[in-house]
Amino acid sequence: MEIVKFPLDCSATNWCQITIKELNEGFLGKLRNNGNVYALFLEAEDHAKWEPRYVGKSARSNLRTRISNHLIGKHEKTGSKLDEVREAVLAGRKIGISYILVEPEELRGYVEEKLIPLVEGWNHHAAKKR
């Protein structure tokens, strides 16, 4: 799992997008073509474990952009979890990311669909499917 780095001076009104991107360039640079199903984790309040909060999928060529939408910045029409990530980080929680490469790539939706029910958290569309 990759632990995402956020600067201490980020706030709700100043999300420090450039600095977040710079701090995480090492793992962001490895994403493209190396994964297509991913999970966002939130460190538990007692810091004893990591809780899966969101499962998503992306074309492997677009994984870096999709993860960046969740962590750094997004278009208003993008269904990213930036608001949830921002809220957690500002409350002092850590965010982790794990990803896998599903092949053939056409199966990534199937794998995501099977994982979503196992995750309590930010997959709001999962409640509609149950």
Side-chain angles (χ1 to χ4, degrees):
M1 178 172 17
E2 301 283 348
I3 310 297
V4 183
K5 299 176 185 98
F6 293 95
L8 296 175
D9 59 343
C10 278
S11 68
T13 56
N14 178 28
W15 188 235
C16 309
Q17 293 179 349
I18 293 171
T19 307
I20 296 168
K21 186 176 180 180
E22 290 170 350
L23 287 172
N24 295 286
E25 187 57 40
F27 97 85
L28 289 172
K30 297 186 296 187
L31 293 175
R32 187 170 287 119
N33 294 319
N34 286 315
N36 53 17
V37 176
Y38 61 91
L40 300 178
F41 291 81
L42 184 61
E43 185 182 40
E45 288 185 26
D46 64 3
H47 308 289
K49 63 181 181 173
W50 289 87
E51 303 164 346
R53 303 301 287 176
Y54 181 80
V55 174
K57 66 176 173 25
S58 173
R60 64 194 289 175
S61 62
N62 195 45
L63 186 61
R64 178 189 173 119
T65 300
R66 188 67 183 126
I67 296 296
S68 294
N69 290 155
H70 291 303
L71 304 176
I72 301 170
K74 65 174 184 147
H75 185 276
E76 293 209 12
K77 293 183 180 180
T78 301
S80 87
K81 299 302 159 193
L82 179 60
D83 293 339
E84 289 87 343
V85 166
R86 185 182 297 138
E87 181 180 326
V89 169
L90 294 177
R93 308 279 293 279
K94 291 182 181 176
I95 302 292
I97 300 213
S98 187
Y99 56 94
I100 60 170
L101 179 60
V102 175
E103 292 185 302
E105 190 159 16
E106 294 80 15
L107 292 177
R108 72 184 190 270
Y110 175 79
V111 172
E112 178 201 33
E113 191 175 302
K114 290 297 183 184
L115 291 174
I116 286 173
L118 305 175
V119 175
E120 296 284 331
W122 301 336
N123 284 93
H124 302 297
H125 63 280
K128 296 176 190 172
K129 292 181 179 181
R130 291 182 192 170

